[in-house]
């Protein structure tokens, strides 16, 4: 056990984790036992500017400072002392996208987030040339698309990075990426790593794929390797907070330079850490505005699959990722309807209680949802080749239309696309001992965990600490700088999660059979999506309201949808 938190803060023995999610920037302070003791956050939203989704770098700076100031205020209110330095610091952010800089470090075009979908031709050509699935949202797809579109700024590109990489560079002056974040920029070499137990291994950009991509880019980008940041794995030294970085984060002048930083990571990597899912045969499922599953692989996939992204853990081990644009937002919409009904009837209920009542009904419902069918498609869904999504509730005249079946259908619908993607992994004979779930939906015990186990046909675990989210996950990676005598997976299992209670739900045959029946109806009804979209586009009748920017287009396999993003209870900023 560590000293009193006040002394830890005063002596600089706490660890700071920062994560920039799609709707919130969060700062989390943990003590020597990795227990969160203070937090600060700042809400922000992406902007649709000149046909592209973006966040301005001014908004990045303002939001980071606001989140950090809120954390400092929380520390002072609790402990009566202001932090001036830290044991270590870590930065995480939403992955992918395109931040391009010239030789002087000036941004050439506004930040293009993972949400932009203009990279189809580039992603297709890269995937074919590399025999590797390159999703639309990956940074290399954005760069190559700029080349294909003859964008003038390409001639000035001296470097590209991710949002986490940009913030890390501002704090340390180092142009580096953690390997997990890097794996959403360009493919990582997946061969064996020559490192002993406890030693940080070495991972780098795939040399063969670099050479092939260089041929595609030609003289437009003369040296692709020089444009990409240095790749580091968890535990490797990634720089220290500079005087300029300290002043950038804390303009009050209270923060001193010198704290070490871990490699900057993407939100997928911090989600793996926060759920203790970095060892082979483990995985996690994040359910929020989007939904995705990640499984650490024992062996390479036999062939590329467009349903699967291959990324890595923060240690560089290959991970198969099924990413669905549409998650639990439709469930949240139904919860708001029923919450309003309770309020209008004179018996208002807290949001968590509304979810509890509805999900308790779902747990007692028919295994196949009584013949009901729900689509949660607020946006396009690449996994099922749906370009323009519409949320739908369908039923036959003889379906059992009950409250429980309605809610169970919506939960099944939220998990259906993920199950379709996971079926590809089953076909590859990928073995999974268990998967850990996290996200706001799992604040309600029981039905969500049990029904997810049935949908994916694997045991689903809930860790008590998984709810702390990505800011806590990157703080854990920062503390790992002092523990590289252990492999990251061992450090997490033995030290970080060693005393935590784990609640595991096994797939129940009756639920599995019911979900498979439901999924068969779901697959058969997918063509209805195209009909519904065509009939409800604004240009179909000439009277429809204008769609939200970006709605109705094929979206990337990234977090969120094209319009306003509904909140789930305690929704985590884990992405994709």
């Amino acid at each position: 056990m560590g000293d009193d938190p006040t002394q830890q803060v005063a002596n600089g023995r706490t660890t700071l984790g920062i994560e920039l999610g799609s709707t919130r920037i969060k700062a989390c302070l943990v003590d020597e036992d990795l227990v969160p003791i203070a937090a600060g956050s700042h809400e922000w939203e992406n902007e649709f500017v000149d046909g592209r989704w973006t966040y301005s770098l001014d908004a990045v700076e303002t939001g980071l400072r606001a989140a950090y100031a809120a954390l400092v205020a929380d520390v002072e209110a609790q402990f009566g002392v202001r932090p001036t330095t830290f044991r270590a610091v870590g930065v995480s952010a939403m992955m992918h996208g395109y931040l391009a800089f010239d030789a002087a470090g000036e941004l050439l075009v506004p930040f293009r987030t993972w949400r932009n979908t203009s990279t189809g031709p580039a992603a297709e050509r890269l995937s074919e040339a590399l025999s590797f699935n390159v999703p639309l949202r990956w940074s290399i797809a954005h760069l190559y698309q700029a080349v294909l579109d003859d964008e003038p700024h390409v001639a000035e590109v001296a470097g590209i990075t991710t949002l986490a990489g940009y913030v890390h560079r501002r704090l340390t002056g180092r142009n580096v990426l953690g390997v997990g974040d890097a794996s959403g920029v360009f493919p990582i070499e997946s061969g064996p790593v020559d490192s002993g137990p406890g030693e940080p291994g070495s991972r780098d950009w795939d040399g063969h794929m670099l050479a092939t991509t260089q041929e595609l880019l030609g003289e437009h980008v003369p040296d692709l390797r020089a444009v990409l940041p240095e790749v580091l794995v968890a535990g490797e030294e990634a720089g220290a907070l500079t005087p300029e970085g300290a002043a950038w984060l804390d303009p009050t002048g209270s923060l001193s330079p010198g704290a070490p930083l871990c490699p900057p990571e993407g939100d997928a990597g911090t989600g793996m850490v926060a759920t203790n899912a970095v060892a082979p045969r483990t995985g996690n499922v994040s359910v929020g505005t989007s939904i995705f599953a990640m499984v650490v692989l024992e062996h390479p996939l036999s062939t590329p699959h467009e349903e699967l992204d291959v990324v890595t853990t923060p240690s560089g081990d290959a991970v198969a990722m099924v990413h669905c644009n549409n998650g639990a937002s439709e469930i949240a919409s139904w919860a708001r309807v029923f919450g309003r009904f309770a309020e209008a009837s004179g018996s208002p209920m807290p949001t968590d209680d509304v979810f509890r009542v509805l999900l308790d009904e779902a747990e007692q419902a028919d295994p196949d949802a009584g013949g009901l069918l729900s689509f949660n498609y607020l946006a396009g869904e690449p996994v099922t080749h749906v370009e323009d999504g519409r949320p739908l509730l369908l039923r036959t005249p003889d379906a059992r239309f009950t409250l429980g079946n309605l809610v169970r259908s919506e939960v099944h619908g939220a998990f259906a696309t993920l199950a379709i993607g996971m079926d590809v992994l089953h076909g590859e004979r990928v073995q999974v001992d268990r998967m850990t779930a996290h996200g706001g939906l799992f604040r309600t015990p029981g039905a969500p965990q049990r029904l997810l186990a049935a949908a994916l046909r694997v045991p689903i675990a809930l860790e008590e600490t998984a709810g702390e989210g990505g800011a806590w996950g990157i703080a854990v990676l920062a503390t790992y700088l002092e523990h590289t005598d252990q492999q990251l997976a061992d450090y997490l299992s033995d030290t970080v999660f060693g005393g935590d209670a784990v609640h595991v739900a096994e797939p129940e045959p009756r639920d599995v059979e019911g979900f498979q029946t439901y999924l068969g109806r779901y697959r058969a009804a997918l063509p209805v999506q195209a009909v519904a979209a065509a009939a409800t586009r604004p240009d179909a009748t000439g009277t429809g309201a204008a769609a939200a920017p970006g709605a109705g287009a094929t979206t990337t396999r990234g977090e969120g949808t094209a319009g306003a993003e509904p909140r789930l209870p305690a929704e985590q900023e884990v992405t994709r």
Side-chain angles (χ1 to χ4, degrees):
M1 298 293 290
D3 296 331
D4 177 84
T6 301
Q7 292 299 317
Q8 293 186 41
V9 173
N11 295 334
R13 293 301 298 166
T14 56
T15 301
L16 174 65
I18 298 172
E19 183 157 84
L20 296 93
S22 61
T23 60
R24 185 172 58 148
I25 301 172
K26 183 178 180 181
C28 176
L29 194 67
V30 303
D31 66 12
E32 290 181 316
D33 298 316
L34 301 178
V35 176
I37 59 174
S41 65
H42 172 77
E43 304 293 323
W44 70 339
E45 290 288 346
N46 53 193
E47 300 175 284
F48 195 68
V49 179
D50 296 330
R52 299 185 191 275
W53 291 106
T54 188
Y55 300 86
S56 72
L57 296 190
D58 286 343
V60 172
E61 179 179 294
T62 300
L64 279 169
R65 289 178 173 179
Y68 180 75
L71 177 137
V72 170
D74 188 22
V75 172
E76 290 184 310
Q78 290 191 71
F79 309 115
V81 61
R82 186 180 184 92
T84 59
T85 189
F86 303 101
R87 174 186 182 186
V89 178
V91 176
S92 174
M94 60 188 100
M95 292 175 65
H96 319 295
Y98 184 65
L99 278 161
F101 297 89
D102 64 16
E106 295 297 322
L107 188 67
L108 292 170
V109 292
F111 172 34
R112 298 172 182 176
T113 76
W114 56 265
R115 200 173 190 177
N116 290 288
T117 60
S118 61
T119 58
E124 183 177 355
R125 295 188 194 185
L126 285 165
S127 297
E128 182 178 358
L130 301 179
S131 297
F132 183 95
N133 182 39
V134 176
L136 278 69
R137 65 185 184 277
W138 280 29
S139 304
I140 188 59
H142 283 277
L143 175 61
Y144 186 35
Q145 190 64 51
V147 169
L148 295 177
D149 293 342
D150 292 321
E151 294 194 42
H153 81 270
V154 171
E156 300 179 67
V157 172
I160 66 172
T161 192
T162 65
L163 183 55
Y166 166 74
V167 172
H168 183 92
R169 188 174 66 188
R170 290 299 303 262
L171 296 176
T172 67
R174 292 281 302 275
N175 184 28
V176 301
L177 287 179
V179 66
D181 202 18
S183 67
V185 172
F186 190 87
I188 298 294
E189 169 60 45
S190 60
V193 175
D194 295 326
S195 59
E199 299 175 4
S202 60
R203 290 291 191 193
D204 204 352
W205 312 113
D206 187 290
H208 175 72
M209 295 190 192
L210 271 177
T212 301
T213 305
Q214 186 65 70
E215 293 179 5
L216 294 176
L217 297 172
E219 291 304 312
H220 297 284
V221 182
D223 189 350
L224 177 58
R225 180 177 283 275
V227 165
L228 299 174
E230 179 185 359
V231 179
L232 301 176
V233 300
E236 288 191 299
E237 186 273 328
L241 186 64
T242 64
E244 296 79 10
W248 185 67
L249 181 62
D250 180 18
T252 69
S254 299
L255 181 59
S256 300
L261 272 80
C262 67
E265 266 300 345
D267 47 4
T270 57
M272 285 184 258
V273 170
T275 54
N276 192 19
V278 300
R281 298 173 68 101
T282 66
N284 68 46
V285 179
S286 173
V287 180
T289 310
S290 64
I291 181 171
F292 62 85
M294 308 187 72
V295 178
V296 185
L297 300 174
E298 290 184 287
H299 53 78
L301 300 177
S302 64
T303 187
H305 298 276
E306 62 180 347
E307 299 90 351
L308 303 177
D309 303 353
V310 177
V311 291
T312 79
T313 70
S315 295
D317 295 320
V319 175
M321 181 180 189
V322 180
H323 202 297
C324 311
N325 281 354
N326 301 280
S329 294
E330 188 67 359
I331 298 173
S333 295
W334 279 103
R336 284 196 297 274
V337 170
F338 285 107
R340 174 56 188 152
F341 175 82
E343 183 181 20
S345 70
S347 302
M349 299 175 65
T351 301
D352 281 0
D353 288 348
V354 174
F355 272 88
R356 177 184 54 77
V357 171
L358 294 177
L359 292 169
D360 283 351
E361 286 287 312
E363 194 163 21
Q364 305 304 319
D366 295 329
D368 71 339
L372 276 66
L373 183 62
S374 300
F375 285 96
N376 64 332
Y377 290 177
L378 294 168
E381 191 56 77
V383 173
T384 51
H385 307 286
V386 172
E387 293 189 358
D388 192 356
R390 294 293 185 271
L392 296 173
L393 173 64
L394 306 176
R395 63 187 178 99
T396 58
D398 59 345
R400 284 175 38 82
F401 190 32
T402 67
L403 177 60
N405 283 337
L406 169 62
V407 182
R408 193 173 185 117
S409 176
E410 291 295 335
V411 175
H412 279 349
F415 297 157
T417 305
L418 184 68
I420 290 171
M422 287 292 290
D423 279 348
V424 178
L425 283 179
H426 286 296
E428 284 273 359
R429 301 185 183 279
V430 172
Q431 299 297 313
V432 186
D433 292 332
R434 78 178 189 195
M435 300 187 72
T436 302
H438 57 136
L441 190 64
F442 298 100
R443 281 177 61 108
T444 304
Q449 183 183 9
R450 171 185 154 191
L451 296 182
L452 182 60
L456 302 188
R457 291 174 285 167
V458 298
I460 299 295
L462 292 181
E463 297 266 10
E464 287 187 347
T465 51
E468 301 298 344
W472 180 75
I474 192 64
V476 170
L477 284 174
T479 64
Y480 179 62
L481 290 170
E482 297 180 359
H483 295 275
T484 53
D485 57 322
Q486 296 177 275
Q487 298 282 8
L488 178 61
D490 295 333
Y491 174 63
L492 293 179
S493 295
D494 299 341
T495 303
V496 180
F497 292 90
D500 287 350
V502 180
H503 310 282
V504 179
E506 298 285 340
E508 297 184 11
R510 180 171 179 268
D511 289 332
V512 172
E513 182 180 355
F515 181 81
Q516 289 300 312
T517 299
Y518 180 94
L519 191 61
R521 296 199 306 269
Y522 189 94
R523 290 178 184 270
L526 276 168
V528 174
Q529 280 289 316
V531 177
T536 56
R537 290 192 185 106
D539 59 0
T541 63
T543 59
T554 304
T555 52
T556 63
R557 294 177 214 162
E559 176 186 351
T561 56
E565 297 178 356
R567 291 294 184 134
L568 299 176
E571 182 179 349
Q572 295 188 17
E573 299 295 347
V574 180
T575 186
R576 50 187 145 123

